[in-house]
Amino acid sequence: MSEIPIFPLQTVLYPCGLLPLRIFEQRYVEMTKRCIAEDSVFGVCLILDGREAGAPAVPHAVGCTARIVDWDVPSPGLFNLRTRGETTFRIVERRIEPDGLIRAEVVLHEAPPAPASPPEEHRALERLLSRIIDEIGAQHLPAPLQLDDPAWVCHRLAELLDLPLAAKQRLLETADASAKAALLSSALRAMVSSARDTD
């Protein structure tokens, strides 16, 4: 197990995902300084209960580690960060430090092996992501592009599309690539159906 600081947010971070952050609360400023000095990670978890600022929020048990890849200090006590998701984890035990920072014992998840053959839904998801890339440009996605990796494709689509946060969290918690592709395909069909019903 590893011990890491936890940053509860109203977003879901995936492995390889890019997440810009504006850090101003003192507990997270100190966390940022330590992570930069030690080249260490912190954990990003979707908020289960509470808010991003103020009293410590209750995080979902499964999150993703984030590593700071670039940063600047536009004014004293303020950090602008560019972070990249690395590894999913599950919180085993957590505690709140006197300054309000959550620290947790976590189990890091090993990336599951790629399926021997792509899931049935993967080709359609890959085509959808390719069309989006053609429209917005590859610079908006983390390099290198991995369109043959079902999990990578699912994660990028979840970042780009307006899925409910609960669906994004379920996708993060699903390790198997085939199950992940099926889950995302189902969520996309529900979005399309809902859009038709409101027309």
Side-chain angles (χ1 to χ4, degrees):
M1 285 197 296
S2 304
E3 182 180 282
I4 59 174
I6 301 296
F7 197 165
L9 292 169
Q10 287 290 356
T11 192
V12 176
L13 178 65
Y14 297 104
C16 297
L18 302 177
L19 178 64
L21 291 170
R22 188 173 176 85
I23 306 295
F24 56 89
E25 283 194 84
Q26 190 59 36
R27 55 184 161 174
Y28 298 124
V29 168
E30 295 304 316
M31 177 196 77
T32 296
K33 290 178 180 177
R34 287 196 297 272
C35 287
I36 291 172
E38 301 170 3
D39 189 25
S40 57
V41 300
F42 59 92
V44 172
C45 292
L46 177 65
I47 290 173
L48 180 62
D49 184 47
R51 299 185 302 174
E52 289 185 353
V58 178
H60 276 268
V62 175
C64 182
T65 60
R67 187 174 299 277
I68 298 169
V69 295
D70 195 15
W71 55 275
D72 68 77
V73 183
S75 61
L78 177 65
F79 278 90
N80 288 330
L81 305 181
R82 191 163 64 92
T83 71
R84 185 180 178 101
E86 289 193 344
T87 308
T88 60
F89 63 83
R90 178 175 292 277
I91 294 175
V92 176
E93 186 176 351
R94 58 185 168 87
R95 68 178 188 277
I96 299 174
E97 300 283 274
D99 64 357
L101 181 70
I102 300 172
R103 293 193 66 85
E105 294 284 342
V106 303
V107 174
L108 299 175
H109 297 160
E110 292 186 12
S117 59
E120 183 178 342
E121 295 90 349
H122 174 65
R123 294 305 176 200
L125 296 174
E126 180 185 358
R127 287 193 296 271
L128 174 59
L129 183 56
S130 295
R131 289 199 299 270
I132 294 174
I133 292 172
D134 288 342
E135 292 180 7
I136 67 174
Q139 70 273 18
H140 294 286
L141 282 84
L145 298 182
Q146 301 174 49
L147 295 176
D148 58 343
D149 183 332
W152 191 92
V153 169
C154 287
H155 293 161
R156 303 296 77 81
L157 283 171
E159 292 163 351
L160 293 166
L161 300 175
D162 190 24
L163 293 174
L165 283 174
K168 294 187 177 187
Q169 179 65 25
R170 286 195 298 274
L171 195 71
L172 180 71
E173 294 174 0
T174 303
D176 178 75
S178 297
K180 197 183 289 282
L183 180 64
L184 180 58
S185 297
S186 176
L188 293 178
R189 286 192 293 270
M191 283 179 60
V192 171
S193 176
S194 177
R196 287 173 177 165
D197 291 342
T198 57
D199 285 345

